[in-house]
Amino acid sequence: MNSHLLGLAILEIVIAVIISVIIIYSSYSILKRLFFRGTDLKQNNMAFIVFTSGIILSVGIILSEIIPSITNVIRLSMSTNQSITITDILLYSGLYLIIGFVFAVIINFSVFVLFSTLTKGINEFKDIQQNNIGTSILVVAILIAITLILKDSISLLISALIPYPETTNFL
């Protein structure tokens, strides 16, 4: 058994769980504070539950593209001669998470703008507060579709920021 690899795997799992819980909790709290102050999961508003689930799924999809980049930085710090310190790991992780959070906000905002443009005269927030499940499902479908389309681009952007060691070009 490779104890170094086992320790690295446990570290990655712990980091992924901590980051995921914090980001998803923060996203839910922001969503509630900004858009649905009087709405709660206890009120049996199925439209709000569907909408919240879509937001959380979108954030989870984006996080699934960010966590591997964070673990790659940790792997690089443990396996190369580069001097990547814990501070560097935290800085890179913070940068990746900020980029992911900004993209999540951009995606969510663009979905609301797109939906509002497509359906003039419908206030999706009010509809969701009034338990209109159809509006909620349509907004979530657009949100997940746009998230799935952009996730690879976000992953590529974040991968470009990983401090890989310099290699020579033999060609």
Side-chain angles (χ1 to χ4, degrees):
M1 177 169 72
N2 187 342
S3 61
H4 180 70
L5 188 60
L6 179 66
L8 184 60
I10 290 171
L11 178 64
E12 288 179 20
I13 290 169
V14 168
I15 288 172
V17 167
I18 291 170
I19 289 172
S20 299
V21 167
I22 290 170
I23 295 292
I24 289 174
Y25 176 78
S26 300
S27 299
Y28 176 75
S29 297
I30 291 169
L31 176 71
K32 245 179 95 64
R33 269 190 235 126
L34 290 180
F35 301 113
F36 300 103
R37 287 193 186 121
T39 309
D40 197 0
L41 294 175
K42 296 177 187 174
Q43 294 175 347
N44 200 20
N45 184 340
M46 187 59 72
F48 176 69
I49 293 168
V50 168
F51 180 73
T52 303
S53 300
I55 296 285
I56 290 172
L57 181 60
S58 173
V59 169
I61 291 169
I62 293 170
L63 270 178
S64 73
E65 298 297 322
I66 294 172
I67 298 295
S69 296
I70 293 172
T71 57
N72 280 340
V73 171
I74 294 170
R75 287 179 187 169
L76 282 172
S77 73
M78 295 181 159
S79 64
T80 64
N81 293 335
Q82 281 187 301
S83 59
I84 300 175
T85 64
I86 300 247
T87 306
D88 293 334
I89 292 171
L90 292 175
L91 288 174
Y92 280 111
S93 300
L95 176 65
Y96 300 158
L97 291 171
I98 288 170
I99 290 170
F101 183 74
V102 166
F103 274 105
V105 169
I106 290 170
I107 290 170
N108 288 315
F109 181 73
S110 66
V111 166
F112 298 132
V113 169
L114 177 64
F115 187 78
S116 294
T117 303
L118 292 174
T119 57
K120 298 228 185 266
I122 296 176
N123 184 343
E124 62 272 1
F125 297 117
K126 191 173 276 187
D127 277 3
I128 292 170
Q129 286 176 337
Q130 294 173 350
N131 204 17
N132 186 337
I133 296 175
T135 301
S136 182
I137 290 172
L138 186 57
V139 170
V140 167
I142 294 170
L143 174 66
I144 292 172
I146 291 175
T147 301
L148 289 173
I149 292 167
L150 291 177
K151 75 178 181 83
D152 290 334
S153 299
I154 295 168
S155 176
L156 182 61
L157 173 69
I158 299 226
S159 294
L161 299 174
I162 295 174
Y164 289 115
E166 293 294 321
T167 58
T168 58
N169 187 356
F170 293 111
L171 300 176

